[in-house]
Amino acid sequence: MIRIGMSTTCVYPLEPEHAFRYAKEAGFDGIEIMVTQELTTQVAEGLNEMSERWDLPILSIHAPVLLLTHFVWGRDPRVKLDRTAELAAAVGAEAVVVHPPFRWQATYAREFLPAVREFSGAHGVEIAVENMFPWRAAGRNMKAYAPGWDPREMDCDAVTLDFSHASLSGVDSLEYAKDLGDRLRHVHLCDGTGAIGEGQIFDEHLLPGRGTQPVAETLRWLADRGWNGSVVAEINTRKAKSEAERLDLLRETLAFAREHTAVAPAAEPERPQSESPLRRAIDAILPHRR
C-alpha cells in the first residue's frame, strides 16, 4: 500500500511539533520535514523524539533549497545536500527531496548530479530531484535553474513529481509520470490551475482535485502498477481561518489520496453453474444434444 504523508510546509510557519500533531489528527501515515531556519527541523534527536511520541515515521527530508533558507547550514549548497542526506539517514527517512540548482549557482550546477549520486550512496537514501518550472519576467520565460527545471532531461536515478510545479510548467502530470517510469520515486500531492504565460504566476499548491492537473488519474496509474514510493501532501492551508478548518483541508487531501491509491480487488473468475440432476439425466439419455 502506498504511504500517504504530510509535509511540514502544509502548516508553515508553525513549528514541526504542530505539524506532527496535525498529521496525526488527520490520519496521515507519516511526515516530510522541510529543513528551515527553525532549529527543530535540523536536529535528528529532536525529530526522532517527536516521531516516536506522535507514532509517525519521518518519510522524507526536504533540503533547504529555498531563497528563504539561503543561510541554513552555511552557503555551500553541496554541504546543505550532504547534511540533508545525513539527517535523513539519522531519522530513518528513505528519501531526500532536492530542487535543481539556481542558474547563478554555476559551480554547484556543474557538480549537482554527481553530488546527488555521491551523497545518496554515502548515506543510503534516495535523493529525488524535484521538477520545477520556468520563471517569467517582462513577459518572457527565463531560465532560473541549471541544468534545468525538468528532471526528465537529467541523468538522475530518482525524481519527485510535484503537481503544482507541473501545472506552472504546462506539463500533463500523468504523461510526466509515464515518461519518468521507474525513476519516479516520490510525489508531492497538490494541484494547480495553469501555466506561466497563461495568466498564472503563483505556485498555488491547491488541494488535489481543485485544479486542472490529472492528479486522480496519476495516482491511480501509480497504484495499478504496484508503485511503492510515498505520496506526501504539500498543500497551502495558510488561508484557513481556524485550526478546525485547516484540519478539514488536510483530511480532504488525505481522503483524496486514499481513494485514488486504493488498488481495486481482482475480479473473481466466473464459476460454472452446476447442472441439475434432471439436466444430467436428460444428457445421459440424449448425449447427442450436448
Side-chain angles (χ1 to χ4, degrees), residues 17 20 43-56 58 91:
E17 182 73 41
F20 274 96
V43 180
E45 291 78 7
L47 291 173
N48 281 329
E49 189 277 328
M50 283 186 280
S51 174
E52 182 176 354
R53 177 156 44 86
W54 289 103
D55 192 25
L56 276 176
I58 298 172
V91 299

Side-chain angles (χ1 to χ4, degrees), residues 181-219:
D182 292 339
R183 293 201 298 150
L184 178 56
R185 299 302 306 138
H186 197 70
V187 168
H188 277 166
L189 180 61
C190 46
D191 209 337
T193 59
I196 287 177
E198 298 176 359
Q200 185 55 252
I201 59 173
F202 298 110
D203 188 11
E204 298 172 286
H205 286 267
L206 302 175
L207 271 66
R210 296 195 183 186
T212 57
Q213 282 289 307
V215 183
E217 294 85 348
T218 304
L219 294 182

Side-chain angles (χ1 to χ4, degrees), residues 22 69 81 83 86 128 144 157 181 242 247 265 278-279 288 290:
Y22 270 108
T69 60
L81 183 56
R83 292 192 61 173
E86 181 182 30
D157 299 323
S242 66
L247 193 56
L278 177 59
R279 179 74 263 172
H288 62 280
R290 291 190 66 87

Side-chain angles (χ1 to χ4, degrees), residues 208-257:
R210 296 195 183 186
T212 57
Q213 282 289 307
V215 183
E217 294 85 348
T218 304
L219 294 182
R220 285 198 294 268
W221 180 78
L222 290 172
D224 288 345
R225 68 194 298 265
W227 187 75
N228 63 353
S230 294
V231 172
V232 172
E234 196 179 68
I235 61 168
N236 185 348
T237 68
R238 287 190 286 277
K239 291 184 179 180
K241 297 180 175 62
S242 66
E243 182 170 307
E245 184 177 347
R246 174 175 271 164
L247 193 56
D248 285 343
L249 296 175
L250 293 169
R251 285 173 172 158
E252 178 183 331
T253 300
L254 178 60
F256 184 100

